[in-house]
């Protein structure tokens, strides 16, 4: 099994910054393509940023230039640095990982709330 635990959410004013962390544990050798998704009230869950093949970062158009995904392999942790936050970024942010050997299997954290006030 794989466990993903997010932290770092909170309330911030528009224009501010937050850094989210996702700590992974368990069968770490079986996961790949870690990243972040978000879900706003009444909307579908959407990709924010993730690592693609070869470790290349992939970003949603809405966050390009403002958000940066990074990782610390020694700590089994993935980060999402969010700058110039906008009220539209308000959502629950979920950490995600895909199973390396079973493409249909994904792992999710419980999510962390990010609220951006105007």
């Amino acid at each position: 099994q794989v466990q993903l635990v997010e932290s770092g959410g909170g309330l911030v004013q528009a224009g501010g910054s937050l850094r989210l962390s996702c700590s992974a544990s368990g069968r770490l050798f079986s996961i790949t393509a870690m990243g972040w998704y978000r879900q706003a009230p009444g909307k579908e869950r959407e990709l924010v940023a993730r690592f693609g093949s070869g470790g290349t970062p992939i970003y949603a158009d809405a966050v390009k230039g403002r958000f940066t995904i990074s990782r610390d392999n020694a700590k089994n942790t993935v980060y999402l640095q969010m700058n110039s936050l906008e009220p539209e970024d308000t959502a629950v942010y979920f950490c995600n990982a895909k199973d390396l050997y079973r493409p249909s299997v994904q792992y999710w954290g419980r999510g962390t709330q990010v609220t951006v006030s105007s």
Side-chain angles (χ1 to χ4, degrees), residues 51-108:
F51 288 105
S53 58
T56 303
I58 298 170
Y59 296 97
D61 288 343
V63 307
K64 282 181 180 176
R66 300 188 298 121
F67 291 10
T68 302
I69 188 171
S70 62
R71 60 189 173 190
D72 185 332
N73 291 331
K75 295 182 178 180
N76 301 318
T77 300
V78 173
Y79 303 97
L80 184 67
Q81 178 66 44
M82 306 185 294
N83 299 328
S84 301
L85 282 161
E86 304 168 352
E88 293 73 23
D89 296 317
T90 295
V92 178
Y93 284 70
F94 296 90
C95 185
N96 171 270
K98 296 173 176 34
D99 194 289
L100 182 61
Y101 304 106
R102 299 175 291 177
S104 63
V105 175
Q106 298 189 65
Y107 303 98
W108 295 94

Side-chain angles (χ1 to χ4, degrees), residues 7-9 18-22 36 78-80 82 93 112 114:
S7 61
L18 283 174
R19 189 177 81 156
L20 305 183
S21 300
C22 172
W36 294 91
V78 173
Y79 303 97
L80 184 67
M82 306 185 294
Y93 284 70
T112 184
V114 171

